[in-house]
Amino acid sequence: MSTRLACVVFDADRPRFIADFWAELLGWGVTLDRPDEVDVAAHDPDGADLALAFLPATRAKHGKNRIHLDLASRSIDHQRLQVDRALSLGARRVDIGQGAVPWVVLADPEGNEFCVLEPREEYVDTGAVAAIVMDTRDPLRLAEFWSAASGWPVAHGGAQVAGLRSATGLGSWLEFVRTPEAKSGRNLLHLNLASFDDQAVELARLRAAGATPIEHDGANVDTTPGLTLADPETNEFCLLRPVRDCSTV
């Protein structure tokens, strides 16, 4: 594979503020601090090099985000401690219709939902972030696209939930959960891919897999430094040039 999953990008009113929240919550560090971008990553990624990137953007949040993070826990006591820590850092409890579930649904200080999971065997070795979760109307179809895009194999797939994980067995899962709601408007969180080889070749491969270009202000995004695309359910993502730059879409 000549692309990799590089980062989860957050549109943010206050990038450094919200980056600090996530760094403190996850026990990660700020690896890039610029006016136009703040990145956060694990101090010891142990082979899992996924980052969180926070970029200044005008936010217009309507309903639940279609992408969110699930945080791992080692025990019920650890789950409780994580929830308390998140609340002390500025998170709040939210009701998205989850009902009586063993995980806890919270929102960060800018309203981005995330879950603190109860202990689960499949997440014992993921690190702080158990999974990046994407809402979808067709979990297996979207998992197959993102498997082709990222090179992560489909580890499990079904009508309700599908999941990918790096072939190395390191780091977070990428999971797709069925939801009846169709996407509306631009996502406040999106995924970015980094290209190692000829970007034009990678663009052609992604388009063959089902990606479509997105145009901004009448100009094709193929002319921009980071190529902005959409997956088969119109979730935005960016194909970055070989020089790493977690640019926004």
Side-chain angles (χ1 to χ4, degrees):
M1 281 296 300
S2 54
T3 60
R4 67 174 178 85
L5 188 59
C7 48
V8 181
V9 180
F10 290 63
D11 287 353
D13 289 330
R14 296 173 291 173
R16 181 57 200 253
F17 173 80
I18 203 67
D20 284 343
F21 167 86
W22 281 99
E24 287 290 327
L25 180 59
L26 300 176
W28 291 6
V30 173
T31 58
L32 178 68
D33 188 0
R34 302 191 314 222
D36 62 339
E37 178 180 348
V38 183
D39 288 1
V40 169
H43 294 291
D44 182 13
D46 195 23
D49 55 358
L50 185 71
L52 306 182
F54 302 86
L55 304 153
T58 301
R59 293 169 54 88
K61 190 173 189 294
H62 301 289
K64 176 181 175 290
N65 287 340
R66 293 188 72 80
I67 298 176
H68 72 270
L69 302 183
D70 279 353
L71 308 190
S73 68
R74 299 185 297 271
S75 66
I76 295 300
D77 285 343
H78 183 227
Q79 180 190 27
R80 188 178 302 112
L81 286 172
Q82 285 186 296
V83 170
D84 290 345
R85 178 167 176 76
L87 295 172
S88 73
L89 291 170
R92 57 186 173 86
R93 296 178 183 268
V94 292
D95 185 349
I96 56 172
Q98 67 267 24
V101 293
W103 59 89
V104 179
V105 183
L106 303 173
D108 72 16
E110 292 200 353
N112 301 301
E113 300 88 359
F114 65 97
C115 297
V116 181
L117 302 179
E118 76 285 4
R120 299 186 192 181
E121 184 177 353
E122 61 267 36
Y123 302 137
V124 295
D125 58 354
T126 61
V129 179
I132 305 154
V133 183
M134 186 179 296
D135 291 348
T136 171
R137 301 185 78 175
D138 190 339
L140 187 55
R141 175 175 179 245
L142 209 57
E144 289 171 345
F145 168 81
W146 279 99
S147 177
S150 67
W152 290 11
V154 178
H156 59 84
Q160 298 300 318
V161 181
L164 316 180
R165 199 178 187 196
S166 169
T168 65
L170 299 172
S172 309
W173 287 76
L174 178 57
E175 295 185 335
F176 304 87
V177 176
R178 188 178 184 279
T179 182
E181 293 82 15
K183 178 177 179 286
S184 176
R186 172 177 164 173
N187 288 337
L188 298 182
L189 278 70
H190 69 267
L191 306 180
N192 277 359
L193 297 173
S195 172
F196 293 111
D197 293 331
D198 188 316
Q199 194 180 42
V201 172
E202 285 305 296
L203 174 62
R205 188 181 66 81
L206 290 168
R207 293 185 69 169
T212 54
I214 295 176
E215 295 186 356
H216 290 294
D217 299 325
N220 191 288
V221 294
D222 289 9
T223 63
T224 64
L227 305 184
T228 310
L229 306 169
D231 72 15
E233 291 195 11
T234 71
N235 298 296
E236 304 86 357
F237 69 97
C238 191
L239 175 63
L240 308 177
R241 295 199 185 284
V243 176
R244 186 189 178 284
D245 180 13
C246 271
S247 304
T248 188
V249 297

